[in-house]
Amino acid sequence: PTPLPICVTGDPVLYQIAAPVTEFDARLEALAHSAMVTMDAAKGVGIAAPQIGVSLRFFIVASRANERYPDAPNMAPVVMVNPCILAASNELVAGEEGCLSVPGKRLSILRHQWLDVSWQSLDGETHHARLEGFVARIFQHELDHLDGITLLERIE
Ligand SMILES: O=C(O)C[C@@H](Cc1ccccc1)[C@H](O)SCc1ccccc1
Ligand SMILES: [Zn+2]
């Protein structure tokens, strides 16, 4: 499909708590595909459903090396449904983040260095992983979107 418009600062959908996904059906797959196409068009390394106006708990993590994080891992994009943090490091790391919904802003944000996380794939299967560094950062950034938090709400 064609990329969807990305909701920006001020759009109410960005400040809602997104609803858990209960139907692992073709509709969800279509929404995930639209998010993927929109993220790719925007050259993002992640995107959350609320950013395309969908208040559901799923996002995409798609780390790739970039000018700010040249040593970021190049990974196949992962669609994470109903993601949650099971454990997090006490150590926090500051790093520069951008947000497709806050155009032109680059802010230094403190994030956990590593996370133990769980999520469901589009077929409903549950997965667990330990994430660290830039991938952990993207996860935390996208999870904030599901909880109605953008970069502007994270300014120290
Ligand atoms: O708005 C979004 O969720 C996409 C974010 C993802 C991101 C999360 C954490 C740290 C950096 C980015 C970006 O706008 S995608 C654009 C981008 C790509 C590489 C580095 C920085 C920003
Ligand atoms: Zn964002």
Side-chain angles (χ1 to χ4, degrees):
T2 55
L4 296 174
I6 293 175
C7 303
V8 295
T9 313
D11 189 320
V13 71
L14 292 176
Y15 309 103
Q16 292 166 8
I17 308 277
V21 170
T22 55
E23 301 299 318
F24 291 78
D25 55 12
R27 181 178 167 278
L28 177 67
E29 291 204 13
L31 290 172
H33 190 60
S34 291
M36 188 78 75
V37 169
T38 305
M39 179 189 71
D40 288 345
K43 297 195 181 348
V45 292
I47 194 166
Q51 294 181 278
I52 55 169
V54 175
S55 200
L56 282 177
R57 299 188 79 78
F58 76 87
F59 55 64
I60 299 170
V61 175
S63 170
R64 55 180 166 72
N66 58 87
E67 69 287 341
R68 267 173 199 72
Y69 297 83
D71 53 359
N74 290 298
M75 60 183 272
V78 180
V79 179
M80 296 184 159
V81 182
N82 300 326
C84 47
I85 295 174
L86 304 176
S89 65
N90 292 325
E91 300 82 16
L92 301 175
V93 183
E96 214 173 65
E97 299 186 12
C99 182
L100 300 174
S101 298
V102 186
K105 280 270 188 306
R106 283 273 184 273
L107 295 170
S108 177
I109 306 289
L110 280 175
R111 300 290 188 182
H112 297 289
Q113 164 58 18
W114 59 260
L115 303 169
D116 286 333
V117 302
S118 75
W119 73 93
Q120 289 172 276
S121 37
L122 287 171
D123 59 5
E125 209 176 297
T126 299
H127 303 262
H128 295 82
R130 168 161 294 198
L131 309 179
E132 50 195 27
F134 187 56
V135 179
R137 178 172 297 276
I138 299 173
F139 186 100
Q140 293 169 81
H141 178 111
E142 305 309 338
L143 189 61
D144 275 354
H145 278 303
L146 304 189
D147 293 330
I149 300 164
T150 74
L151 284 188
L152 300 180
E153 284 78 49
R154 278 235 175 256
I155 294 176
E156 301 299 334

